[in-house]
Amino acid sequence: MYKNKNLAIEIENLNFTYPDGTEALKDVSLKVCEGESLAIIGPNGAGKSTLLLNLNGLLKGNGSVKIFGTEINSSNLRDVRKKVGLVFQNPDDQLFCSTVYEDVAFGPMNLRLKEVEIERRVNDALLKVEMNGYKNHNAFHLSYGQKKRVAIATILSMNPDIIAIDEPSSNLDHNSQLSLARILISLLKTKLFVTHDIPYAALLCDRVIIIDSGKIVADGLLFDILSIPELLERHRLGFPPGFSIEKLKEDKNKLFH
Amino acid sequence: MKHSFLDKYSSLNSFIHKLDPRVKIITTLFFLIVVMTTSPIFLWAFLIYFLIELIILIISKIPILFILKRLLMLIPFILFIVIFAPFISKNGYAGSYNLGILRNLGDGFYNINSVLVVMNVVLKSFLSIIALILLSSTSPFSQLLLGFRKLKVPSIFTNIASFMYRYVFVIVDEVQRMVRARNARNYRGKWIWQSKVIGNMIANLFLRSYERGERVYFAMLSRGYDGDLILNYKYKMRWIDWLYLIIFSIILVLTMFFTR
């Protein structure tokens, strides 16, 4: 299945235990191809976010995490973080500068790029998330949906090959969710989304893995997995009332046409 | 929730606003030192200091009402000095207190020494605070910090100030949400046992801030942070900056010379 494509992420037997003894990841193995978009779903506290933090060396568990074939170690963190962009769940954690411009420029500045290049990247990134009119605004005074989009721009400006977003749809109203989905679909990168919003995952991804209690319990094509209601139920997942696979497929078609 | 900016008028467009923040930092510090070291008997010198501030205020187009409102915060501090003024001994040096209030009262409620102390504190504190308000409302906060950074202030101080500026409203919001959630459950703060709740809230706020700090740090590391905030400084020293710096310094040096 993976032979002819470049592997973007290759995780083998990853275990992670928090200092307080919580085993967040147990023997996780996962392969993600370049250009794939993958939804990581699971109930609260399943270890989804911990998995993301392991992808660019913020947390280091036992086992190997390879990004484009190179194993993460303390000497190549800089390169890994250039390749893997993480967007955190709460945009107030992601946006810490006094203006939107400074926040989006923060990554490129740390890459020690030239000023002209930084400006170009900031403009590009803000244009992609449709926030180019807000350069000199204070991030705190934006709406939640706008903050979320700026948070994504702060990662886009670093031009990563892999972009991983924690809970892209949380706290967003319907329209903001849809406009964000359009933006996310238009990004041609390897994409990972951590969520427990199944309809949203269905809009964005073709492949899904389910994590529960630190283990990957299912991995496959999204609509295949969603059509096993017992599997979803066993892991405290399910469709919101009124949703069905048919409706999801219909919604997805609408978004693309 | 919406809050006003700390540096509300910092994006106005005036001669003072266009000056390099470094010039403003240096002149403000110089001004503060000169004001602090002027003896309170030279009243005319304080008039000059006030005129300097008034001129800057007028050029920079900052509303006077804004400055007056900010000055209100000084009143509690000054009030204490005034209350304790009668206790200041007649013959001692400034700052020495005398509990024998009755002996002091015999010479009239306020002796000349205590009047000098009060005047000293009131004049100097008002002049200094006005100077600092002018500094912080004539440059955008981030550029002001960069100015400090360019003047070789260690990055740890400017970073802390920059995070404070970014997160103070987030924390205020968090407190407001906690207070609301508390009041919604019939908290009235009338009973002693309810005071425990305040302690819990403070502890809770500390934990939340601590955890947020950790998450922010992760977000920074993810974007290649390696210990120094690199930001671009928009200002350059032009001839007009030098001119302002020199004229300002000459005035201060002259008043210093005549008040010694």
Side-chain angles (χ1 to χ4, degrees):
Chain A
M1 181 177 174
Y2 299 108
K3 265 180 191 161
N4 301 324
K5 283 186 179 172
N6 281 334
L7 277 184
I9 301 170
E10 191 178 2
I11 300 174
E12 266 166 31
N13 308 99
L14 181 67
N15 288 285
F16 185 84
T17 311
Y18 278 103
D20 67 354
T22 319
E23 284 181 76
L25 295 175
K26 292 173 204 157
D27 212 20
V28 167
S29 296
L30 176 68
K31 284 177 180 163
V32 184
C33 295
E34 198 175 351
E36 209 170 7
S37 71
L38 170 74
I40 303 171
I41 61 176
N44 292 334
K48 307 179 297 269
S49 302
T50 311
L51 181 62
L52 281 200
L53 294 176
N54 271 283
L55 287 181
N56 70 355
L58 288 173
L59 297 180
K60 185 106 188 67
N62 288 322
S64 92
V65 182
K66 286 184 189 163
I67 303 297
F68 291 103
T70 326
E71 186 164 346
I72 301 179
N73 57 45
S74 48
S75 63
N76 60 16
L77 281 180
R78 235 188 130 70
D79 276 339
V80 165
R81 286 173 186 165
K82 202 153 81 180
K83 284 183 188 141
V84 184
L86 291 195
V87 182
F88 292 82
Q89 186 175 348
N90 184 345
D92 268 326
D93 298 339
Q94 183 102 21
L95 308 174
F96 43 77
C97 300
S98 34
T99 64
V100 166
Y101 183 95
E102 284 172 16
D103 254 315
V104 182
F106 180 79
M109 275 173 175
N110 285 326
L111 298 178
R112 306 288 197 280
L113 297 174
K114 288 215 175 71
E115 208 165 301
V116 192
E117 173 69 6
I118 292 176
E119 205 169 326
R120 195 186 63 79
R121 286 207 184 186
V122 172
N123 287 332
D124 277 1
L126 286 174
L127 205 63
K128 265 185 199 146
V129 298
E130 297 158 14
M131 287 295 289
N132 41 326
Y134 293 87
K135 265 180 232 167
N136 294 318
H137 282 59
N138 184 319
F140 182 76
H141 299 266
L142 299 177
S143 77
Y144 200 86
Q146 291 173 326
K147 279 187 199 175
K148 203 108 189 178
R149 280 187 273 161
V150 174
I152 291 169
T154 65
I155 293 303
L156 292 181
S157 64
M158 295 184 73
N159 202 10
D161 300 307
I162 302 167
I163 175 162
I165 306 185
D166 201 350
E167 298 285 4
S169 63
S170 67
N171 282 333
L172 291 183
D173 60 39
H174 181 71
N175 279 352
S176 314
Q177 282 193 359
L178 284 185
S179 68
L180 185 64
R182 266 187 222 105
I183 292 164
L184 292 175
I185 289 168
S186 70
L187 301 175
L188 300 171
K189 294 183 186 297
T190 310
K191 290 170 277 189
L192 279 77
F193 303 103
V194 161
T195 183
H196 46 231
D197 180 346
I198 289 182
Y200 206 65
L203 284 184
L204 297 174
C205 305
D206 301 315
R207 181 182 162 202
V208 65
I209 62 172
I210 299 180
I211 295 190
D212 195 1
S213 314
K215 283 184 192 142
I216 296 184
V217 292
D219 180 350
L221 287 175
L222 187 121
F223 285 114
D224 289 351
I225 294 215
L226 293 189
S227 57
I228 319 173
E230 305 83 49
L231 179 67
L232 296 180
E233 220 160 274
R234 202 182 314 138
H235 300 290
R236 289 183 282 152
L237 295 165
F239 293 104
F243 269 91
S244 63
I245 291 217
E246 290 69 40
K247 170 127 180 38
L248 287 183
K249 285 182 179 165
E250 202 180 293
D251 282 357
K252 197 167 182 172
N253 280 333
K254 252 192 245 161
L255 196 71
F256 281 107
H257 300 292
Chain B
M1 278 168 259
K2 299 280 172 209
H3 306 275
S4 66
F5 295 86
L6 282 179
D7 49 353
K8 206 171 169 187
Y9 293 100
S10 63
S11 50
L12 292 179
N13 194 10
S14 77
F15 169 71
I16 303 287
H17 284 82
K18 279 184 204 142
L19 285 173
D20 190 319
R22 281 174 292 184
V23 170
K24 286 179 258 186
I25 292 168
I26 294 171
T27 50
T28 306
L29 279 179
F30 192 18
F31 182 82
L32 289 180
I33 292 169
V34 171
V35 168
M36 286 301 161
T37 51
T38 307
S39 164
I41 50 169
F42 297 104
L43 271 179
W44 58 269
F46 288 96
L47 193 68
I48 291 179
Y49 302 146
F50 183 68
L51 280 179
I52 295 176
E53 288 181 336
L54 202 63
I55 291 167
I56 294 177
L57 178 71
I58 289 165
I59 301 177
S60 63
K61 300 177 202 157
I62 296 168
I64 281 196
L65 205 64
F66 169 75
I67 305 243
L68 290 179
K69 268 189 204 158
R70 288 278 160 110
L71 284 178
L72 285 179
M73 71 177 181
L74 260 181
I75 287 180
F77 298 99
I78 287 173
L79 206 65
F80 270 100
I81 306 284
V82 176
I83 288 169
F84 285 108
F87 297 96
I88 295 166
S89 57
K90 188 169 62 174
N91 306 317
Y93 37 86
S96 73
Y97 291 90
N98 187 354
L99 281 178
I101 185 169
L102 292 174
R103 215 172 351 142
N104 270 353
L105 285 178
D107 307 328
F109 199 64
Y110 285 91
N111 56 50
I112 181 69
N113 207 355
S114 62
V115 170
L116 272 182
V117 168
V118 171
M119 224 166 69
N120 196 21
V121 170
V122 171
L123 285 175
K124 288 179 179 175
S125 57
F126 271 105
L127 286 170
S128 316
I129 294 291
I130 294 174
L132 288 175
I133 296 172
L134 285 174
L135 174 67
S136 66
S137 36
T138 54
S139 335
F141 194 75
S142 56
Q143 293 296 314
L144 194 62
L145 286 180
L146 280 177
F148 275 108
R149 191 77 196 87
K150 291 261 167 183
L151 292 168
K152 305 281 179 236
V153 171
S155 63
I156 183 104
F157 293 116
T158 55
N159 287 359
I160 289 174
S162 131
F163 284 116
M164 189 270 308
Y165 175 74
R166 170 63 183 87
Y167 285 101
V168 66
F169 294 126
V170 176
I171 290 175
V172 168
D173 262 4
E174 219 145 291
V175 171
Q176 281 176 355
R177 278 198 300 269
M178 276 158 79
V179 166
R180 207 171 284 159
R182 187 193 70 183
N183 293 347
R185 284 173 282 167
N186 268 341
Y187 175 89
R188 277 174 304 166
K190 272 195 174 169
W191 310 98
I192 291 284
W193 64 265
Q194 284 184 326
S195 67
K196 195 179 116 193
V197 174
I198 302 201
N200 287 342
M201 281 173 69
I202 293 171
N204 204 326
L205 196 66
F206 172 76
L207 285 178
R208 286 189 199 190
S209 312
Y210 180 81
E211 282 181 353
R212 182 184 292 279
E214 216 155 55
R215 292 196 304 268
V216 172
Y217 185 58
F218 271 172
M220 293 171 74
L221 285 180
S222 287
R223 287 189 269 156
Y225 174 75
D226 53 9
D228 202 6
L229 292 174
I230 312 152
L231 296 164
N232 57 336
Y233 193 57
K234 292 183 193 131
Y235 298 86
K236 278 203 178 83
M237 290 294 280
R238 303 158 298 168
W239 63 270
I240 194 102
D241 293 292
W242 287 110
L243 191 70
Y244 178 86
L245 185 64
I246 290 165
I247 291 178
F248 201 101
S249 308
I250 289 174
I251 296 172
L252 287 180
V253 169
L254 281 179
T255 50
M256 257 171 86
F257 182 74
F258 284 110
T259 53
R260 290 310 111 123

